[in-house]
């Protein structure tokens, strides 16, 4: 069975300053997600599911979804801050103003993901067609009960932004499998007094110099439905301690790492040498538009993406 692609598109875009999921970057107002959907379909994914906020539904349909749905088996579900919480839990979380992070998003879409292996991507990152092909091939060979999950990892230096800090899961890999992920939520270039620059991670009050060669997660994971019990266990434990924290996030890389730590499955580490670009900051849009234009001119993408 062909795998499903799950797109995490319910983010608030606080650093970007707008709804970056549906901002136009192509020659004919295509969004970055148009290119992800095009690559996914070309690489063997059978269906795409978007997770969005209710307040962007109208614009999402008009500016992106209806176009993709005319060319690909597509649907969407909602993620809200109230999703998967009881009335009592909502009282504890009364200060919260946004949803609960990436593992919460995946669980909101659970009912759409039980019939085939699935991949997960962010809505604001460009992953590259080779990464989609690699993961599609891997997932297509699995059955739904397999505990052999996967991820596509990137090289840290290929995923940095010149416009501000980035958040990356720094991975430890052993014998081709993920051993651990440590979320580094603030990694940035830092200018030195001699004019050179270093990559510095600010982690738990410490400044850690990075080489730029570290393998990192870009939230490009592949799972079978057998991952859901661990995801649900992680979410239940998260709720017990974090609901009163206004900015707490239930993170997919942490839950994925829990699968490995608890011996409930493995995560094959599949590498990509693609150079990342994405829509984290307002200044990034010009870079994305330039990269898309370059690839279109080179014939990598057709000029009219969905008319071919």
């Amino acid at each position: 069975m062909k795998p499903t692609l799950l797109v995490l598109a319910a983010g608030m875009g606080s650093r970007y300053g707008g709804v970056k999921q549906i901002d136009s970057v192509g020659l004919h107002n295509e969004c970055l997600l148009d290119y992800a959907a095009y690559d996914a379909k070309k690489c063997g994914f059978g269906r795409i599911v978007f997770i969005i906020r209710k307040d962007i539904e109208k614009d999402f349909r008009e500016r992106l979804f209806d176009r993709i749905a005319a060319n690909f088996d597509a649907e969407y579900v909602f993620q809200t801050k109230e999703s998967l919480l009881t009335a009592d839990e909502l009282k504890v979380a009364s200060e919260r103003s946004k949803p609960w992070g990436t593992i919460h998003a995946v669980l909101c879409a659970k009912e759409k993901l039980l019939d085939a292996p699935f991949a997960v991507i962010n809505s604001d990152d460009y992953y590259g067609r080779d990464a989609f092909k690699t993961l599609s091939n891997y997932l297509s060979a699995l059955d739904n009960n397999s505990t052999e999950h996967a991820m596509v990892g990137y090289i840290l230096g290929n995923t940095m932004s010149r416009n501000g800090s980035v958040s990356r899961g720094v991975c430890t890999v052993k014998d081709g499998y993920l051993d651990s992920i440590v979320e580094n939520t603030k990694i940035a270039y830092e200018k030195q007094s001699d004019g050179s620059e270093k990559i510095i991670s600010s982690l738990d009050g410490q400044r850690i110099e990075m080489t730029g060669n570290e393998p990192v997660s870009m939230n490009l994971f592949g799972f079978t439905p057998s991952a859901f019990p661990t995801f649900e266990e992680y979410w239940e434990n998260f709720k017990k301690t974090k609901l009163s924290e206004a900015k707490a996030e239930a993170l997919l890389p942490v839950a994925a790492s829990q699968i490995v730590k608890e011996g409930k499955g493995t995560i094959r580490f599949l590498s990509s040498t693609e150079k990342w670009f994405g829509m984290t900051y307002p200044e990034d849009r010009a870079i994305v538009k330039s990269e898309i234009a370059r690839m279109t001119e080179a014939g990598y993408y057709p000029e009219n993406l969905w008319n071919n």
Side-chain angles (χ1 to χ4, degrees):
M1 181 176 289
K2 290 184 176 181
T4 298
L5 179 64
L6 179 68
V7 181
L8 308 181
M12 302 296 285
S14 55
R15 288 179 293 182
Y16 186 78
V19 187
K20 56 188 173 182
Q21 301 92 315
I22 52 178
D23 209 350
S24 63
V25 295
L27 298 179
H28 299 283
N29 296 319
E30 296 93 349
C31 307
L32 192 57
L33 282 177
D34 277 295
Y35 296 91
Y38 180 88
D39 285 342
K41 184 180 181 183
K42 196 174 184 69
C43 293
F45 285 86
R47 184 166 56 110
I48 186 167
V49 178
F50 297 92
I51 303 175
I52 68 168
R53 307 194 312 267
K54 287 183 178 179
D55 62 293
I56 69 168
E57 181 182 14
K58 182 176 183 295
D59 287 340
F60 174 75
R61 290 196 67 104
E62 291 176 353
R63 297 170 63 180
L64 175 72
F65 180 79
D66 290 346
R67 177 171 60 246
I68 290 178
N71 293 275
F72 199 3
D73 184 357
E75 55 188 313
Y76 59 89
V77 298
F78 296 116
Q79 180 190 17
T80 72
K81 67 175 183 179
E82 295 83 13
S83 300
L84 310 180
L85 268 65
T86 66
D88 287 341
E89 288 169 340
L90 287 172
K91 291 178 182 177
V92 177
S94 60
E95 298 299 315
R96 186 75 174 193
S97 61
K98 62 179 183 177
W100 298 90
T102 48
I103 197 66
H104 180 240
V106 173
L107 289 173
C108 286
K110 176 185 175 182
E111 297 307 312
K112 306 292 184 182
L113 303 172
L114 296 177
D115 61 347
F118 61 97
V120 184
I121 66 169
N122 296 333
S123 64
D124 55 351
D125 292 315
Y126 179 85
Y127 291 95
R129 192 175 299 163
D130 286 347
F132 281 114
K133 186 63 175 177
T134 297
L135 195 51
S136 174
N137 288 345
Y138 184 89
L139 294 175
S140 295
L142 301 179
D143 64 49
N144 283 357
N145 296 317
S146 175
T147 57
E148 296 278 331
H149 313 290
M151 67 174 291
V152 178
Y154 291 74
I155 299 167
L156 175 60
N158 286 345
T159 73
M160 296 293 294
S161 172
R162 293 287 176 184
N163 297 315
S165 65
V166 296
S167 177
R168 301 287 182 257
V170 179
C171 303
T172 302
V173 182
K174 291 185 178 179
D175 300 323
Y177 287 86
L178 179 70
D179 186 60
S180 65
I181 303 178
V182 177
E183 278 297 301
N184 287 240
T185 58
K186 190 177 181 181
I187 306 177
Y189 288 111
E190 187 177 281
K191 207 73 163 177
Q192 305 301 300
S193 58
D194 62 359
S196 65
E197 61 184 11
K198 295 180 178 179
I199 299 175
I200 302 295
S201 173
S202 301
L203 181 66
D204 298 330
Q206 295 183 312
R207 294 176 69 262
I208 302 171
E209 183 176 344
M210 315 294 281
T211 67
N213 295 318
E214 292 83 359
V216 296
S217 163
M218 295 292 296
N219 258 13
L220 179 50
F221 286 97
F223 300 103
T224 71
S226 71
F228 277 110
T230 302
F231 292 168
E232 290 168 330
E233 178 187 353
Y234 169 77
W235 170 241
E236 291 302 317
N237 288 333
F238 176 90
K239 289 193 294 181
K240 290 176 183 177
T241 59
K242 300 292 187 180
L243 288 185
S244 61
E245 298 182 19
K247 295 184 178 180
E249 298 275 332
L251 298 173
L252 178 60
V254 179
S257 187
Q258 187 171 313
I259 291 175
V260 175
K261 287 180 181 178
E262 297 181 356
K264 295 178 178 178
T266 58
I267 298 179
R268 182 70 178 270
F269 191 90
L270 307 168
S271 298
S272 174
T273 58
E274 294 268 9
K275 185 171 177 57
W276 168 89
F277 56 87
M279 306 272 281
T280 305
Y281 297 94
E283 298 84 357
D284 292 333
R285 183 169 179 262
I287 298 171
V288 172
K289 284 175 69 70
S290 175
E291 288 292 324
I292 293 295
R294 179 185 61 79
M295 287 187 285
T296 302
E297 184 176 348
Y300 190 78
Y301 291 113
E303 182 174 338
N304 294 295
L305 196 63
W306 293 113
N307 291 336
N308 289 266

